[in-house]
Amino acid sequence: MKDVSFQLYSARNFPPFADVLSALGDAGYTQVEGYGALYAALSDEQIAAFKSGLERNGLAMPTAHFGLDMLESDPLRVMQIANALGIRAIYCPYLMPDQRPSDAAGWRAFGARLQSAGKPFRDAGIDFGWHNHDFEFHPLPDGSVPLEHIFAGGPDLSWEADIAWIVRGGADPFAWIQKYGNRITAVHVKDIAPKGEKTNEDGWADVGEGTLDWKGLTRALSETPAQYFIAEHDNPSDFRRFAKRSLASIQSY
């Protein structure tokens, strides 16, 4: 694999972030991925201070999540943050349940909406795409699934493939990598604990400690354009443990 990144959302419950960045640098990471709530409300001075914290710990932030509201309502500010932090790929990460379409046409229209939201960033040379969860793989009344229609409506969208969420959505990640691998520019590397285990961590596991075939997945993903491999755990009880174990596992594949 290429350089391994760390999704800072995994450490959101362990402030301050100055200590998080120090721990990640000490653990051997060279990249992190940001999430919207981390920087959306920061001033230019605070953004600059955060950038200094990254550099002080040998870290870069080539990828980041931004919410759809900010992407659509204030793309200039998104661009300013991206330029200040050196972000080269932006992924829209989520759609609230009450906003999700109920049919194929609605999801295709949502894909077109993402296509439009991403245009100013693509025009500036920044990669732009969608980050999946599980709901995009839940069958619609006609038997199709939302992600197919998102990509149909957004022909230029890249894909940050969250492999474990594909599995939790009841789908086969190998089949999706084969079908849409040409869109994958980033991957969330996360793992699922055996059934009934790690309930205090919402059933997630450190990479290499769970049920996913990451060796096989790594081989499949090597055939895609994926540049960024981001370790993530949605609710670790100890982010340092997760960071160290996962980095060691990912580097062994």
Side-chain angles (χ1 to χ4, degrees), residues 190-227:
K190 61 202 298 183
D191 218 330
I192 300 173
K195 189 173 182 179
E197 296 184 16
K198 300 288 185 181
T199 55
N200 65 318
E201 298 190 348
D202 298 339
W204 302 110
D206 299 342
V207 179
E209 304 285 326
T211 58
L212 270 62
D213 174 17
W214 270 109
K215 288 186 179 179
L217 287 162
T218 298
R219 287 193 297 270
L221 289 163
S222 70
E223 303 298 321
T224 75
Q227 298 182 59

Side-chain angles (χ1 to χ4, degrees), residues 15-251:
F17 266 103
D19 292 347
V20 170
L21 298 181
S22 176
L24 294 175
D26 289 345
Y29 285 89
T30 59
Q31 297 179 355
V32 295
E33 180 172 74
Y35 64 100
L38 179 66
Y39 37 63
L42 296 184
S43 66
D44 288 345
E45 292 76 15
Q46 290 169 318
I47 291 287
F50 187 78
K51 173 69 169 176
S52 295
L54 291 172
E55 293 174 342
R56 197 160 48 244
N57 291 287
L59 299 167
M61 186 186 285
T63 69
H65 289 183
F66 284 88
L68 183 58
D69 286 349
M70 189 174 184
L71 290 167
E72 291 185 323
S73 67
D74 200 355
L76 178 60
R77 183 57 181 160
V78 174
M79 190 75 74
Q80 290 171 338
I81 293 171
N83 288 336
L85 293 177
I87 295 164
R88 302 310 307 156
I90 290 172
Y91 301 99
C92 184
Y94 196 64
L95 188 64
M96 294 298 290
D98 62 351
Q99 298 178 26
R100 295 173 193 168
S102 58
D103 59 16
W107 282 109
R108 201 170 301 116
F110 177 68
R113 182 179 172 189
L114 289 171
Q115 173 87 6
S116 178
K119 186 177 187 305
F121 310 108
R122 289 193 303 274
D123 288 349
I126 296 174
D127 189 22
F128 182 86
W130 179 250
H131 169 85
N132 70 276
H133 285 76
D134 57 345
F135 60 86
E136 297 94 329
F137 303 93
H138 296 162
L140 298 169
D142 65 0
S144 63
V145 298
L147 194 59
E148 296 174 313
H149 303 296
I150 291 173
F151 287 155
D156 296 320
L157 293 175
S158 291
W159 181 19
E160 181 176 60
D162 190 311
I163 303 298
W165 274 122
I166 296 175
V167 174
R168 282 204 170 178
D172 176 0
F174 288 96
W176 281 87
I177 292 168
Q178 183 175 26
K179 187 172 183 179
Y180 290 106
N182 65 316
R183 291 187 184 246
I184 299 176
T185 55
V187 180
H188 269 204
V189 186
K190 61 202 298 183
D191 218 330
I192 300 173
K195 189 173 182 179
E197 296 184 16
K198 300 288 185 181
T199 55
N200 65 318
E201 298 190 348
D202 298 339
W204 302 110
D206 299 342
V207 179
E209 304 285 326
T211 58
L212 270 62
D213 174 17
W214 270 109
K215 288 186 179 179
L217 287 162
T218 298
R219 287 193 297 270
L221 289 163
S222 70
E223 303 298 321
T224 75
Q227 298 182 59
Y228 310 107
F229 294 84
I230 302 109
E232 184 185 47
H233 188 310
D234 286 27
N235 190 27
S237 59
D238 181 344
F239 90 89
R240 289 176 173 84
R241 180 214 71 214
F242 161 70
K244 291 177 181 177
R245 287 183 181 176
S246 298
L247 180 61
S249 293
I250 295 168
Q251 289 179 334

